[in-house]
Amino acid sequence: MKLALFSVLTLLYFQAVVSVKPPLRQHPLDPLTNEEFLTVQTLVHNKYPTSKNKVAFHYIGLDDPAKDYIAIYERSLIPVVIRRKSFVLAIINGQSHEIVIDIRLKTIDSDNVHKGYGFPILSVEEQGVAIELPLKYPAFIASVKKRGLNLSEVVCSTFSMGWFGEEESKRTVRVDCFMKENSVNIYVRPISGLTIVVDLGLQKIVEYHDREIETVPTAENTEYQVSKQSPPFGPNQHSLTSHQPQGPGFQIKGHSVSWANWKFHIGFDVRAGIVISLASIYDLEKHIYRRVLYKGYISELFVPYQDPTEEFYFKTFFDSGEFGFGLSTVSLIPNRDCPPHAQFIDTYIHSDDGTPSILKNAICVFEQYDSIMWRHTETGIPDEFIEESRTEVNLIVRTVVTVGNYDNVLDWEFKTSGSIKPSIALSGILEIKGTNIKHTNEIKGELYGKLVSANSIGVYHDHFYMYYLDFDIDGPENSFEKTSLKTVRITDGSSKRKSYWTTETQTAKTESDAKITIGPTPAELVVINPNKKTAIGNHIGYRLIPAIPAHPLLTEDDYPQIRGAFTNYNVWITPYNRTEKWAGGLYVDHSRGDDTLAVWTKQNRNIVNKDIVMWHVVGIHHVPAQEDFPIMPLLSTSFELRPTNFFERNPVLKTLSPKDVPWPGCSN
Ligand SMILES: *[C@@H]1O[C@H](CO)[C@@H](O)[C@H](O)[C@H]1NC(C)=O
Ligand SMILES: *[C@@H]1O[C@H](CO)[C@@H](O)[C@H](O)[C@H]1NC(C)=O
Ligand SMILES: [Cu+2]
């Protein structure tokens, strides 16, 4: 033993002497590096040489380490061996393979063929091939000519097709085409009346119909590039600077962030996009970091359009499972998407041949001098005037995911008071359906949307974001409590009042108890640690302050709703299960809804004093209006995870406001 310890110390000493700056140790939750992607690519290619096999990588990600392993990793003082494994979905000779690779040992641990329904995420490259096909397809060229349009000004885009009860499913996409003539705003200029279906395996058009002709909306007033706009500009906005003379209040080491009383890890995945892990908050009284969230990310985004005609019925998108939130993450624009004092993190994504490429400025981190943390003006004490106010400084972690026409601005906001506030803001361009109608007085019958400009229908649709929130409130064993607020009638004349309200708390025993529809009856939804109490005896916990609820309006037997059944409730609780990551299923393209959260929870498992996961649906019903055209100002929604008897008292009671910065020309 002594000898071994001696060798370790010698080794450490030796390393300290040799390397001036030791390389940053990899964290087991770090996203795959460039080299790791290449190792995965090589190992799969070694097993399936591309000379003899057709190999396409549809997902390469980190294979989640077991939570027990992470607990050991976090506790150990001596560095443990970093486990690095990758989970791969590859289509090899037409079959979906699930491959687990040990990156460190350079071995393939397992390789199974998926036999069920559905297909993996579409690759960017195969979609790139599909959108070129119509431009060389004689029937399409004839249709373009018939409409009097210029083929050189046509661009096309791919749309996942869903599943509508057909017995056999192939990997197909619909292709819609648009005019890019005189405006880059292609999505508001669709060429209507065409059905183009491309088989991604065959890479050819397998179905084509030219149905009817509706006017292509004109390019007039659709441009949004500032360089193409003419005056007058306005309203005017004055300059504003941000200046942190002491530097940023946060530190990023690799992918680990520490700021104020928080520390957490930022991961990234080609499917999930940004992943927040190991979020812990420092307790000033207990002198320890206390775990709040083991992991949080957007598990799926379901966007069903509400036009059942041939033109639009299939448009029921699952943006994460079909297109990849990570693959659709875009580089942030410094000083525009994030303030001047932001710091950026790059990440890697991969192509369908497995080659990694860097995505610059994928994530930004910055402090926001927001508003008031707490305040009070006291006028009730004679001869004394008390006013106390503390500035609130928050930390924002931001990404933007642009899936085709829509831009999703996704923030994780951390507050020193212990709250985590995820928010979503939508921008981008409406999906427009062309029409011959130029004015609302020409409307006869159902439009399935609103006229937002001449010849342009903004089709009704929803955006349902499904958040995966694996709480570990002071440890993994947690319970879920619903505290209902209910009216009590006073009938015995004991008060001048006739009623009051009080609370009634129930612990959800099983998954069924925890399927929550947020409605008119108010309730507090709290994840507690049933094994820990505050000094005065309350169970420590974190409360969900939900987003404004949006309930699905499709019938439960409708095919898109079967696939998107995870939106049937606003909140769900499941016992933690490493494979239950994707609320819409692992294989979402052409899925049949047999691997959704709604199906898993039918097991009605016990969730008392267990490692539990909360699933929260944040929805927006979108009835388009003229202001959404030609490009939509941010439309936002958010929710809050707020400490509830987690601390003994207000945890920011003794937090000082940041020092005032002297500024030239300012008197105070
Ligand atoms: C069609 O578009 C191309 C490319 O923009 C342009 O060069 C050409 O002049 C257009 N043809 C007609 C007939 O407008
Ligand atoms: C984890 O989830 C999968 C899918 O729902 C299920 O098949 C499996 O039995 C679960 N494992 C445990 C330990 O519950
Ligand atoms: Cu919308």
Side-chain angles (χ1 to χ4, degrees):
M1 278 300 278
K2 267 189 183 141
L3 196 69
L5 185 65
F6 174 75
S7 333
V8 169
L9 288 175
T10 323
L11 189 67
L12 287 176
Y13 176 72
F14 184 68
Q15 279 183 342
V17 172
V18 173
S19 65
V20 182
K21 197 178 164 204
L24 207 61
R25 278 186 66 80
Q26 196 171 25
H27 190 285
L29 296 177
D30 282 353
L32 299 192
T33 63
N34 191 53
E35 292 70 26
E36 290 176 328
F37 272 113
L38 292 170
T39 302
V40 168
Q41 182 189 42
T42 304
L43 286 166
V44 173
H45 281 166
N46 286 352
K47 181 164 180 190
Y48 299 102
T50 48
S51 52
K52 296 196 211 90
N53 302 279
K54 199 162 179 271
V55 180
F57 293 87
H58 288 257
Y59 170 86
I60 303 175
L62 183 71
D63 184 49
D64 292 300
K67 286 181 77 166
D68 293 348
Y69 165 79
I70 296 294
I72 293 167
Y73 168 83
E74 288 193 292
R75 273 201 302 267
S76 56
L77 300 172
I78 297 171
V80 297
V81 173
I82 302 296
R83 175 198 189 274
R84 298 294 286 173
K85 290 194 182 192
S86 175
F87 180 69
V88 178
L89 293 179
I91 299 183
I92 301 172
N93 305 324
Q95 287 187 309
S96 299
H97 285 244
E98 298 170 9
I99 306 172
V100 176
I101 288 174
D102 190 316
I103 296 171
R104 237 175 32 82
L105 300 179
K106 297 197 166 38
T107 54
I108 292 181
D109 281 4
S110 64
D111 177 358
N112 297 312
V113 172
H114 167 63
K115 296 272 176 21
Y117 297 121
F119 307 110
I121 301 177
L122 310 176
S123 77
V124 173
E125 292 74 17
E126 65 187 353
Q127 294 177 76
V129 174
I131 61 174
E132 295 295 329
L133 296 174
L135 307 177
K136 288 166 274 171
Y137 192 72
F140 178 77
I141 296 168
S143 299
V144 169
K145 203 172 262 173
K146 193 169 83 181
R147 286 165 171 76
L149 303 171
N150 183 346
L151 187 67
S152 318
E153 298 285 359
V154 172
V155 286
C156 302
S157 185
T158 47
F159 299 84
S160 51
M161 291 189 67
W163 172 70
F164 295 87
E166 56 276 7
E167 299 241 313
E168 206 199 333
S169 300
K170 290 228 167 74
R171 292 186 64 239
T172 50
V173 287
R174 282 271 291 246
V175 177
D176 280 358
C177 301
F178 307 87
M179 295 306 292
K180 66 174 173 65
E181 189 182 34
N182 301 326
S183 171
V184 296
N185 199 341
I186 55 173
Y187 296 107
V188 301
R189 305 198 60 212
I191 303 172
S192 305
L194 302 176
T195 300
I196 309 167
V197 179
V198 169
D199 184 311
L200 291 173
L202 304 173
Q203 285 293 11
K204 61 185 253 204
I205 294 174
V206 291
E207 203 185 322
Y208 186 86
H209 308 287
D210 186 345
R211 290 172 279 106
E212 72 254 34
I213 297 179
E214 298 274 350
T215 313
V216 175
T218 68
E220 207 185 336
N221 295 323
T222 66
E223 188 56 74
Y224 51 83
Q225 296 176 99
V226 67
S227 57
K228 298 287 165 62
Q229 308 281 10
S230 45
F233 292 98
N236 282 335
Q237 302 195 104
H238 282 208
S239 299
L240 180 74
T241 187
S242 54
H243 179 49
Q244 292 188 293
Q246 297 161 278
F250 59 88
Q251 261 201 326
I252 306 177
K253 281 200 181 130
H255 287 78
S256 299
V257 179
S258 54
W259 167 79
N261 45 356
W262 280 102
K263 61 178 189 184
F264 58 91
H265 181 273
I266 301 178
F268 191 88
D269 179 80
V270 295
R271 175 158 177 181
I274 191 168
V275 179
I276 300 292
S277 299
L278 311 182
S280 300
I281 188 163
Y282 190 75
D283 189 320
L284 210 56
E285 297 193 18
K286 294 195 165 73
H287 310 289
I288 46 163
Y289 274 97
R290 299 170 65 194
R291 177 61 40 81
V292 175
L293 193 68
Y294 180 79
K295 189 181 275 193
Y297 60 92
I298 295 177
S299 172
E300 192 52 90
L301 165 56
F302 176 39
V303 188
Y305 281 80
Q306 303 301 325
D307 178 341
T309 64
E310 174 61 22
E311 195 79 29
F312 255 75
Y313 79 91
F314 59 92
K315 295 194 172 183
T316 53
F317 307 123
F318 292 79
D319 281 348
S320 168
E322 291 172 340
F323 300 99
F325 251 42
L327 286 178
S328 308
T329 297
V330 295
S331 293
L332 296 161
I333 309 167
N335 294 1
R336 292 291 167 270
D337 292 327
C338 312
H341 59 281
Q343 286 186 17
F344 294 85
I345 300 174
D346 301 337
T347 191
Y348 284 90
I349 54 174
H350 66 84
S351 66
D352 70 346
D353 73 356
T355 307
S357 58
I358 194 162
L359 179 65
K360 285 272 184 200
N361 296 354
I363 300 161
C364 75
V365 182
F366 60 93
E367 287 172 294
Q368 188 155 288
Y369 292 69
D370 215 2
S371 63
I372 301 166
M373 189 160 67
W374 58 259
R375 79 172 315 290
H376 186 59
T377 299
E378 183 52 69
T379 55
I381 305 171
D383 307 324
E384 252 188 292
F385 181 68
I386 313 283
E387 57 175 14
E388 287 285 334
S389 180
R390 299 290 182 277
T391 305
E392 185 174 62
V393 181
N394 297 316
L395 188 75
I396 314 277
V397 182
R398 175 170 294 167
T399 52
V400 173
V401 173
T402 303
V403 188
N405 52 321
Y406 266 113
D407 297 64
N408 305 277
V409 182
L410 307 171
D411 284 1
W412 286 85
E413 180 178 328
F414 291 84
K415 291 176 181 287
T416 48
S417 59
S419 285
I420 303 177
K421 220 176 133 184
S423 69
I424 289 159
L426 269 173
S427 188
I429 295 151
L430 288 173
E431 207 147 308
I432 293 292
K433 185 184 182 186
T435 173
N436 293 330
I437 296 170
K438 286 184 183 301
H439 191 280
T440 55
N441 63 18
E442 297 160 33
I443 299 171
K444 294 184 205 78
E446 182 64 78
L447 277 194
Y448 310 110
K450 294 288 185 204
L451 199 66
V452 291
S453 182
N455 308 115
S456 311
I457 300 167
V459 177
Y460 302 139
H461 61 278
D462 310 290
H463 305 257
F464 292 112
Y465 300 81
M466 169 55 100
Y467 276 85
Y468 174 100
L469 303 163
D470 180 0
F471 282 104
D472 280 5
I473 307 294
D474 248 352
E477 273 78 40
N478 292 169
S479 293
F480 178 64
E481 279 185 348
K482 183 180 172 183
T483 296
S484 303
L485 277 55
K486 49 167 218 176
T487 303
V488 181
R489 202 165 240 297
I490 304 170
T491 51
D492 61 2
S494 62
S495 165
K496 293 189 178 176
R497 289 264 297 268
K498 289 188 172 151
S499 65
Y500 64 97
W501 66 257
T502 187
T503 64
E504 189 179 277
T505 298
Q506 278 173 327
T507 303
K509 302 272 184 314
T510 63
E511 289 173 296
S512 308
D513 297 340
K515 293 178 179 174
I516 308 286
T517 299
I518 294 165
T521 315
E524 302 260 309
L525 306 171
V526 191
V527 174
I528 61 153
N529 185 326
N531 314 301
K532 294 202 175 151
K533 287 181 178 172
T534 60
I536 59 166
N538 288 308
H539 274 304
I540 67 149
Y542 254 74
R543 175 160 57 112
L544 169 73
I545 301 178
I548 298 166
H551 308 292
L553 294 160
L554 295 178
T555 60
E556 281 196 18
D557 64 344
D558 199 358
Y559 295 106
Q561 195 56 37
I562 293 169
R563 302 175 64 225
F566 55 85
T567 59
N568 289 349
Y569 296 94
N570 304 110
V571 178
W572 312 62
I573 304 281
T574 56
Y576 173 83
N577 177 325
R578 208 172 70 91
T579 65
E580 292 177 355
K581 291 174 68 171
W582 312 109
L586 178 59
Y587 297 92
V588 176
D589 178 34
H590 293 269
S591 70
R592 303 190 179 188
D594 53 5
D595 180 28
T596 70
L597 175 62
V599 173
W600 312 331
T601 54
K602 283 192 181 143
Q603 298 167 72
N604 202 17
R605 294 163 289 190
N606 184 347
I607 53 170
V608 178
N609 205 5
K610 290 263 185 322
D611 186 1
I612 56 175
V613 176
M614 175 184 278
W615 305 75
H616 180 39
V617 178
V618 177
I620 297 172
H621 298 299
H622 196 165
V623 178
Q626 286 186 242
E627 288 81 359
D628 301 343
F629 188 90
I631 192 162
M632 189 177 138
L634 283 192
L635 176 67
S636 58
T637 180
S638 66
F639 63 98
E640 186 173 336
L641 311 173
R642 188 178 170 94
T644 299
N645 301 322
F646 183 85
F647 294 107
E648 293 294 336
R649 56 191 59 79
N650 176 355
V652 285
L653 181 68
K654 293 199 257 182
T655 303
L656 307 176
S657 292
K659 283 197 194 73
D660 293 334
V661 179
W663 201 249
C666 272
S667 52
N668 48 3

